Amino acid sequence: MQRRNFLLGVAAFIALMPARVLAALWNKAAFESVRLDDASRKLDINTEIPSADIQIIAPDRAENGAIVQVEVKSAIANTEAIAIFVEKNPTPLIANFIFSNGAEPYVVTRIKMAETSDIKIVVKAGERYFTAAKNVVVLENGCG
């Protein structure tokens, strides 16, 4: 019964939330960019610092680009966001996860990859951006 009340409360909160609040959370311009540098710029990413504190777990070779599991963990203090890019996808920005204070900066997701490409991770911590990348060979196209 408590779970049902909780779910009803969450549904009511979302239904009453103004549409512009939800739209503010969605950076449509960044997600619709067709070039990696445009998507980065629209997320206000300027200088990127290479970091070994970003752990990317993804297959070296993906049998099917339609489902590629990616796991990202940041050991960078005060991580606020983790963005996932695939340079050779039609729209390179795949996801942008934003973390509240105290949340563990760890994500697991499945993405589509159009072809062999680097998976680029950008972590935001304060006003600084850290990056790491891993190349994934795609044997079968997942975006077409």
Side-chain angles (χ1 to χ4, degrees), residues 29-40:
F31 280 97
E32 290 182 345
S33 296
V34 294
R35 294 185 40 202
L36 180 63
D37 56 339
D38 286 342
S40 294

Side-chain angles (χ1 to χ4, degrees), residues 47-121:
T47 305
E48 298 172 0
I49 304 166
S51 175
D53 291 331
I54 301 169
Q55 182 181 14
I56 305 169
I57 299 173
D60 294 330
R61 296 168 56 105
E63 291 286 328
N64 184 348
I67 302 172
V68 179
Q69 182 163 317
V70 178
E71 189 174 335
V72 180
K73 183 172 186 174
S74 171
I76 299 169
N78 303 318
T79 295
E80 298 173 10
I82 295 176
I84 301 174
F85 297 90
V86 176
E87 183 175 0
K88 294 183 180 176
N89 269 15
T91 52
L93 178 57
I94 303 300
N96 187 28
F97 298 95
I98 299 171
F99 300 93
S100 299
N101 288 339
E104 182 179 356
Y106 172 77
V107 296
V108 177
T109 188
R110 292 180 177 177
I111 66 173
K112 286 185 176 184
M113 294 184 68
E115 59 185 286
T116 298
S117 178
D118 280 346
I119 296 175
K120 179 181 174 184
I121 306 298

Side-chain angles (χ1 to χ4, degrees), residues 2 18 20-22 30 34 36-37 40 44-45 65 67 73 75 81 96 106 113 121 127-128 134 137 140 143:
Q2 289 179 347
R20 66 179 171 200
V21 172
L22 293 173
V34 294
L36 180 63
D37 56 339
S40 294
D44 295 326
I45 297 171
I67 302 172
K73 183 172 186 174
N96 187 28
Y106 172 77
M113 294 184 68
I121 306 298
E127 297 300 318
R128 301 172 71 188
K134 178 176 181 166
V137 174
E140 184 178 326
C143 293

